[in-house]
């Protein structure tokens, strides 16, 4: 027994090399040990957290640890994470939530920089060993080391721009000094992660090794055999002011295409920093701290931090055990095929069936292309395809833990599917519908187990939209709902609990936005002007383009259903929309809808040019109110009716399900920020001019009396 335990301990140690097992020093979040060769291993294991983040407490302890380690006269220092998931996920933004004093932030950031500068100034080899995610402040910590060793599969990035910020702990000057400055700026401006192969090519890491070779790689770094990369010729060229100014001009032009300056100031502040101070690390450091502090207290960053916490809140609902290992998807169209592909990519065994074998083949082809593009390992791609099983006779239904119906959005068709599959399902399996709007009470009739029936409403495109509406009904079992939420957590999706009602939450709130756009278009306003107004407000795309993306046939079906089943007034569907659908001009999927599309699904270039010319902000605010306020009014109505449990769920669902302008913090948060009295007054003015569909809902009065969510 003793021998086998020793072998197991050796094998377990090899799983993650953390240095000597006996700690020399132990603090709350850090521990360190000096090996026989004089190398000190410093391990970060943040207490009571599943992921390492750099809180102020963690950084303060690092300051103390550096002093203690220096007292050991080490030959070298290795920094490593004890968390299985990765190195460090970034700064702990909880420390800055709600902070409004830029001067106070600047003081705190200077203290943090002093600690990281101490690490960077140590006169010994300092080595960051990085596995899993290394993001934001975590990457800045690694950049302060003289060497970076990546374990195969690690990923690196600066996601601060997604929070309305730029790197603030030295990343702006350390990264642009280490690698090609244009590549460095691209990483920081886009927030995209790079994986080990690209990181090595950029010079971001010195070497990439398997976990079992970490100790040897550390020895190579300590002995001087591991050489660090430099920024190269382009770095030297961009050290000159004229070259930087030219590069910065191009960066601003590219950034403006994705993130308008009026809504997202951070990337432009970053470009200004580099253009003015690139090549002078000390000046750039001072400017970085000041700029970061000013951005942090600004409205955009505070709202985007709110969005971060909305995401975290939805993610928490996805915790727990789903018991779902095998998923059976019925319907291999765009939605069903992509649901199946995503579930297989996230580790589920999936059987995919359809009445039309060609549809299954097409879905497998789309999945293969997606895996080639998004899965970074050939083994991962192979395994995902192995888990995605074409099921031509539907045999998988009897083995699945979860059956997802994703057929045509017609009640009769869906009920026919349920009649066929329900008797064949195994005990305790969940039956889910991907309906986008049909109340579940209409679909559950005749089911022998309504307590195991639930709505799982995914959004298109499935591989990019994070939200899934978990649609309950009065006979759904609590365990079923809990398992459905946990299943979303399993596949890295955000579950939003909503009550069964026509259109549920997202489509019910989105439909007035889209239909109002149709009405405005019917009045003679060019579609390009309508879309430009929505983009100027901050939407990722205009309502006309969005309708084409969703499909005009689906828009028509949902609008008609809501008109029939809801009491609130809605404008009549324009006759031209009916005609377009009847003619097969259903949007991008057909190559033609309200826009015409090329073979890659992009609007034709002449129409794009017209759309750009149409962007006139002064007229946009009037159109934007007409488009957006009906959405806000509907969300308030859904709150009042209990379709959605709270404002945070409503805001999160609209951001992650429709892309509602993230920098505004969510539609209801925007309403509160603008002022509910002002919103109600504007709705009343629109009601007088355009009719009762703009009448303010009674729920606004209750909203006024409630405290805003934090």
């Amino acid at each position: 027994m003793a021998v086998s335990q020793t072998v197991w301990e050796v094998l377990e140690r090899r799983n993650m090399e953390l240095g000597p097992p006996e700690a020399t020093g132990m603090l709350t979040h850090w521990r360190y040990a000096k090996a026989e060769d004089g190398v000190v291993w410093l391990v970060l294991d943040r207490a009571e957290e599943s992921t390492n983040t750099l809180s102020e407490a963690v950084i303060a302890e690092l300051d103390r640890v550096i002093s203690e380690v220096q007292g050991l006269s080490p030959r070298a220092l290795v920094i490593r994470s004890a968390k299985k998931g990765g190195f460090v996920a970034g700064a702990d933004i909880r420390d800055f939530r709600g902070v409004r004093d830029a001067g106070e932030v600047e003081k705190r950031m200077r203290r943090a920089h002093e600690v990281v500068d101490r690490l960077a100034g140590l006169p010994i080899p300092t080595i960051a060993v990085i596995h899993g995610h290394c993001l934001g402040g975590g990457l800045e910590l690694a950049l302060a080391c003289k060497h970076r060793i990546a374990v195969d599969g690690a990923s690196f990035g600066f996601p601060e721009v997604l929070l309305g910020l730029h790197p603030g702990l030295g990343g702006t000057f350390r990264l642009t000094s280490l690698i090609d400055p244009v590549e460095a700026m691209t990483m920081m401006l886009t927030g995209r992660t790079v994986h080990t192969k690209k990181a090595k090519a950029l010079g971001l890491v010195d070497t990439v090794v398997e976990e079992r070779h970490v100790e040897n790689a550390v020895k190579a770094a300590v002995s001087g055999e591991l050489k660090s990369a430099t920024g190269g010729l382009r770095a030297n060229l961009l050290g000159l002011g004229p070259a930087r100014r030219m590069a910065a001009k191009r960066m601003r032009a590219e950034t403006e295409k994705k993130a308008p300056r009026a809504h997202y100031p951070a990337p432009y502040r970053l470009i200004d920093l580099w253009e003015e101070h690139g090549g002078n690390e000390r000046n750039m450091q001072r400017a970085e701290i000041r700029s970061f502090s000013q951005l942090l207290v600004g409205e955009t960053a505070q709202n985007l931090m709110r969005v971060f916490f909305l995401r975290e809140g939805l993610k928490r609902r996805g915790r727990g055990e789903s018991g779902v290992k095998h998923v059976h998807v019925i319907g291999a169209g765009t939605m069903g095929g992509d649901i199946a592909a995503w579930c297989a990519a996230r580790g589920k065994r999936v059987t995919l069936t359809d009445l039309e074998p060609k549809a299954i083949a097409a879905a497998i082809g789309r999945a293969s292309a997606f895996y080639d593009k998004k899965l970074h390992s050939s083994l991962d791609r192979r395994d995902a395809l192995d888990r995605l099983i074409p099921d031509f006779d539907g045999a998988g239904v009897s083995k699945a833990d979860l059956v997802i119906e994703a057929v045509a959005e017609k009640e009769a068709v869906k009920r026919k599917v349920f009649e066929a599959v329900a008797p064949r399902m195994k005990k305790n399996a969940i039956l889910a519908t991907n309906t986008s709007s049909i109340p579940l009470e209409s679909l559950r009739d005749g089911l022998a187990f309504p307590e195991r029936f639930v709505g799982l409403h995914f959004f298109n495109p499935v591989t990019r939209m994070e939200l899934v509406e978990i649609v309950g009904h009065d006979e759904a079992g609590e365990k079923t709902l809990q398992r459905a939420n946990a299943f979303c957590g399993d596949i890295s999706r955000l579950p939003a609990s909503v009550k069964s009602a026509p259109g549920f939450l997202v489509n019910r709130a989105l439909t007035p936005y889209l239909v109002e756009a149709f009405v405005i278009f019917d009045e003679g306003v060019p579609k390009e002007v309508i879309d430009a107004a929505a983009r100027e407000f901050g939407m990722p795309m205009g309502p006309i383009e969005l309708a084409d993306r969703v499909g005009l046939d689906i828009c028509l079906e949902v609008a008609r259903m809501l008109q029939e089943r809801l009491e609130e007034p809605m404008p009549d569907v324009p006759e031209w929309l009916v005609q377009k659908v009847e003619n097969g001009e259903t949007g991008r999927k057909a190559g033609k809808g309200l826009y015409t599309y090329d073979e890659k699904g992009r609007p034709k270039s002449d129409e794009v040019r017209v759309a750009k010319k149409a962007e006139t902000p002064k007229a946009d605010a009037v159109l934007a109110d007409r488009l957006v306020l009906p959405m806000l009014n509907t969300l308030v109505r859904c709150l009042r009716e209990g379709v959605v449990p709270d404002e945070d769920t409503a805001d999160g669902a609209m951001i992650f399900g429709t892309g509602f302008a993230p920098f505004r913090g969510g539609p209801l948060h925007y309403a509160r920020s603008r002022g509910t009295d002002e919103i109600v007054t504007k709705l009343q003015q629109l009601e007088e001019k355009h009719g009762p569909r703009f009448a303010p809902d009674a729920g606004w009065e209750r909203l006024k009396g409630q405290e805003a969510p934090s």
Side-chain angles (χ1 to χ4, degrees):
M1 178 65 72
V3 172
S4 65
Q5 280 182 329
T6 302
V7 170
W8 173 248
E9 286 168 2
V10 169
L11 292 174
E12 188 175 40
R13 287 272 322 281
R14 284 184 179 176
N15 285 340
M16 186 178 288
E17 180 58 66
L18 298 176
E22 296 297 326
T24 307
M26 181 80 72
L27 285 77
T28 303
H29 306 293
W30 297 90
R31 65 177 184 267
Y32 59 90
K34 187 174 182 181
E36 292 180 0
D37 60 1
V39 175
V40 170
W41 289 70
L42 177 59
V43 177
L44 175 59
D45 190 3
R46 188 167 176 191
E48 300 180 0
E49 299 282 351
S50 59
T51 302
N52 282 334
T53 52
L54 294 183
S55 66
E56 288 183 283
V58 168
I59 292 174
E61 277 197 4
L62 176 60
D63 192 28
R64 176 182 162 188
V65 164
I66 291 172
S67 297
E68 293 183 10
V69 167
Q70 284 179 300
L72 297 175
S73 301
R75 185 180 172 204
L77 176 66
V78 178
I79 299 181
R80 182 105 208 240
S81 161
K83 306 293 188 187
K84 294 287 187 183
F87 187 67
V88 182
D92 189 340
I93 65 172
R94 290 173 294 190
D95 288 346
F96 294 104
R97 191 177 190 182
V99 175
R100 295 296 183 184
D101 184 346
E104 175 61 27
V105 175
E106 198 167 335
K107 289 178 187 176
R108 290 159 68 177
M109 293 306 299
R110 279 200 297 267
R111 287 197 295 269
H113 272 255
E114 288 168 3
V115 176
V116 176
D117 286 351
R118 285 191 69 197
L119 173 64
L122 289 176
I124 56 173
T126 48
I127 306 145
V129 176
I130 301 157
H131 69 282
H133 49 252
C134 179
L135 304 173
L139 182 49
E140 289 171 299
L141 185 68
L143 287 170
C145 295
K146 294 179 177 65
H147 297 283
R148 282 154 299 284
I149 296 169
V151 176
D152 192 28
S155 59
F156 306 81
F158 282 111
E160 285 89 346
V161 71
L162 306 177
L163 292 174
L165 301 166
H166 55 59
L169 200 55
T172 65
F173 61 89
R174 287 197 172 98
L175 188 65
T176 50
S177 298
L178 177 70
I179 68 173
D180 180 328
V182 173
E183 294 282 4
M185 290 293 288
T186 300
M187 279 185 67
M188 293 186 284
L189 288 169
T190 63
R192 295 192 197 109
T193 55
V194 298
H195 293 263
T196 40
K197 184 178 179 180
K198 178 73 179 288
K200 178 65 169 67
L202 289 175
L204 182 56
V205 300
D206 302 325
T207 188
V208 179
V209 299
E210 298 292 338
E211 178 64 42
R212 64 183 181 274
H213 297 311
V214 164
E215 189 173 8
N216 287 336
V218 167
K219 289 178 180 177
V222 173
S223 65
E225 297 172 26
L226 196 61
K227 302 301 180 184
S228 297
T230 62
L233 179 62
R234 189 149 66 155
N236 294 331
L237 178 63
L238 290 169
L240 304 174
R244 272 203 318 281
R245 283 193 289 275
M246 289 178 61
K249 184 178 179 180
R250 288 195 299 271
M251 289 174 188
R252 289 188 187 95
E254 287 300 311
T255 302
E256 190 66 42
K257 295 175 185 178
K258 300 286 180 67
R261 185 191 295 261
H263 302 321
Y264 297 99
Y268 302 95
R269 296 285 287 274
L270 174 60
I271 295 168
D272 292 346
L273 268 178
W274 178 68
E275 181 181 11
E276 186 173 352
H277 302 293
N280 187 323
E281 292 193 7
R282 185 56 57 194
N283 286 348
M284 198 163 174
Q285 181 175 30
R286 285 195 292 264
E288 175 195 275
I289 294 170
R290 185 167 56 253
S291 174
F292 179 89
S293 302
Q294 292 167 350
L295 286 168
L296 183 69
V297 300
E299 186 177 9
T300 295
Q302 289 296 317
N303 282 344
L304 288 172
M305 278 191 265
R306 180 172 192 272
V307 172
F308 172 85
F309 289 114
L310 290 176
R311 175 186 273 113
E312 291 300 297
L314 293 174
K315 280 173 65 176
R316 281 194 295 273
R317 298 179 189 180
R319 293 174 181 170
E321 295 294 328
S322 70
V324 175
K325 296 181 179 178
H326 181 170
V327 180
H328 182 72
V329 180
I330 303 169
T334 300
M335 286 299 294
D338 288 0
I339 290 169
W342 182 258
C343 290
R346 305 309 297 178
K348 302 297 182 186
R349 176 182 173 85
V350 182
T351 44
L352 176 63
T353 192
D354 195 285
L355 292 174
E356 178 53 66
K358 289 182 180 178
I360 300 176
I364 299 295
R366 288 196 310 276
S368 179
F370 170 69
Y371 298 156
D372 285 344
K373 186 176 181 181
K374 294 297 183 181
L375 300 184
H376 299 281
S377 156
S378 59
L379 288 177
D380 289 342
R381 294 193 288 272
R382 182 201 67 187
D383 290 347
L385 277 172
D386 284 349
R387 289 189 293 265
L388 181 57
I389 304 165
D391 187 359
F392 297 104
D393 58 7
V397 69
S398 63
K399 302 172 185 176
D401 306 299
L402 170 66
V403 176
I404 302 177
E405 165 274 310
V407 300
E409 188 68 359
K410 296 183 183 297
E411 185 176 320
V413 175
K414 292 179 183 294
R415 288 173 61 120
K416 188 174 181 180
V417 168
F418 298 155
E419 289 171 9
V421 303
R424 299 167 54 203
M425 289 172 58
K426 69 180 186 180
K427 186 179 180 182
N428 295 327
I430 296 172
L431 175 61
T433 175
N434 185 52
T435 179
S436 59
S437 58
I438 303 171
L440 269 65
E441 291 81 359
S442 302
L443 296 174
R444 74 179 183 210
D445 283 353
L447 277 179
F449 48 87
E451 73 282 357
R452 288 189 278 122
F453 178 55
V454 69
L456 283 177
H457 178 210
F458 289 79
F459 290 82
N460 191 25
V462 172
T463 54
R464 287 170 52 194
M465 302 303 287
E466 294 182 85
L467 190 79
V468 177
E469 284 182 316
I470 307 295
V471 188
H473 54 93
D474 57 7
E475 293 186 28
E478 192 57 40
K479 184 177 180 181
T480 297
L481 295 172
Q482 180 273 322
R483 290 178 65 197
N485 276 277
F487 168 71
C488 290
D490 291 349
I491 61 169
S492 302
R493 284 295 173 256
L494 303 175
S497 299
V498 298
K499 189 175 77 173
S500 176
F504 314 135
L505 176 71
V506 173
N507 279 344
R508 183 170 169 186
L510 192 62
T511 299
Y513 170 75
L514 298 178
V515 174
E516 195 62 33
F518 296 156
V519 172
I520 296 170
F521 181 60
D522 211 29
E523 293 170 359
V525 179
K527 59 183 180 293
E528 295 85 4
V529 172
I530 299 168
D531 280 350
R535 287 196 301 273
E536 185 65 27
F537 176 81
M539 296 300 197
M541 67 179 67
I544 301 295
E545 187 181 354
L546 178 60
D548 268 359
R549 289 278 186 102
V550 171
L552 297 183
D553 51 339
I554 294 172
C555 292
L556 178 60
E557 188 77 25
V558 173
R560 282 174 167 170
M561 187 275 294
L562 292 179
Q563 265 189 328
E564 291 171 4
R565 301 193 185 211
L566 294 174
E567 294 181 3
E568 63 242 36
M570 285 182 61
D572 291 331
V573 174
E575 185 56 38
W576 56 259
L577 179 60
V578 178
Q579 193 64 48
K580 274 192 169 291
V581 172
E582 289 177 354
N583 292 342
E585 298 175 8
T586 54
R588 193 171 73 156
K589 61 188 175 184
K592 187 174 183 180
L594 287 161
Y595 287 99
T596 301
Y597 297 85
D598 64 19
E599 65 280 356
K600 293 185 177 180
R602 297 173 301 199
K604 291 291 181 65
S605 58
D606 57 333
E607 293 179 332
V608 171
R609 282 196 293 271
V610 172
K612 287 179 179 176
K613 290 177 184 176
E615 293 181 19
T616 52
K618 287 185 179 180
D620 285 342
V622 175
L623 278 178
D625 271 352
R626 236 184 113 176
L627 294 167
V628 172
L629 296 194
M631 179 193 296
L632 305 187
N633 206 30
T634 303
L635 288 170
V636 170
R637 185 176 290 118
C638 288
L639 268 175
R640 177 174 59 80
E641 294 176 354
V643 174
V644 61
D646 51 62
E647 288 181 51
D648 280 356
T649 302
D651 276 348
M654 296 305 291
I655 292 168
F656 303 118
T658 74
F660 182 92
F663 69 93
R664 297 193 183 275
L668 293 176
H669 181 76
Y670 164 71
R672 285 190 179 277
S673 300
R674 182 170 167 180
T676 53
D677 285 332
E678 182 185 335
I679 298 286
V680 169
T681 298
K682 190 65 181 178
L683 283 168
Q684 290 168 339
Q685 292 170 355
L686 289 167
E687 180 186 9
E688 289 176 12
K689 187 172 183 179
H690 298 290
R693 66 183 181 274
F694 287 98
D697 187 77
W700 286 105
E701 289 303 317
R702 188 175 69 171
L703 204 68
K704 290 178 189 179
Q706 292 177 338
E707 190 174 321
S710 59

